[in-house]
Amino acid sequence: MYIKKIFFIVMIFAISNCGYQPIHLSKSAPNFTINEITQEGDKTINRKILSRTNIKNKNKSEAEYNLTIKSLKKNEITSKDTNGNALTHKVSIQVDIILSNPEDSTIIFKQKSFNTSFNYNDRGNKFSLSQYVKTIESALIDKISKDIKIFLNF
């Protein structure tokens, strides 16, 4: 019993003094300016990513960039039954982020591709299947948005 109390006290001191700070709660804004945002591909995905990452034009800082967002959504049938009806599907979303020089777009400062996918079974009701696909896509876009936010802050 005495060892457990000592262990608990040591762990509290170790965790509280390690300097841990959550990434998503950082109050500091990125130290760059987005001059122009170019969207290519699926416009609804691009708009959702921009709204969830809070990327805006003209932050007024020392570094200036142009941002290009390219998105692609694929819905694939991964397996079928003997009659040819779809049994399982795969939805995948790919987003490419490019930060380039405003004067010369061939000079790229940062570039990264974000990919996520999800497999799901077919449902008999097409309406419930479409609603399920929308929630899956929303969850995938949330995941990509968090990854983009982390990528742009570093």
Side-chain angles (χ1 to χ4, degrees), residues 12-35:
I12 288 176
F13 284 123
I15 291 174
S16 65
N17 294 326
C18 69
Y20 171 77
Q21 292 180 334
I23 293 174
H24 298 294
L25 295 179
S26 65
K27 304 283 191 235
S28 63
N31 57 348
F32 59 86
T33 301
I34 302 296
N35 283 337

Side-chain angles (χ1 to χ4, degrees), residues 63-80:
E64 294 182 354
Y65 301 108
N66 285 345
L67 177 69
T68 304
I69 299 176
K70 298 178 185 178
S71 62
L72 176 68
K73 177 178 71 170
K74 291 183 187 177
N75 287 322
E76 302 172 6
I77 298 173
T78 55
S79 67
K80 294 183 179 183

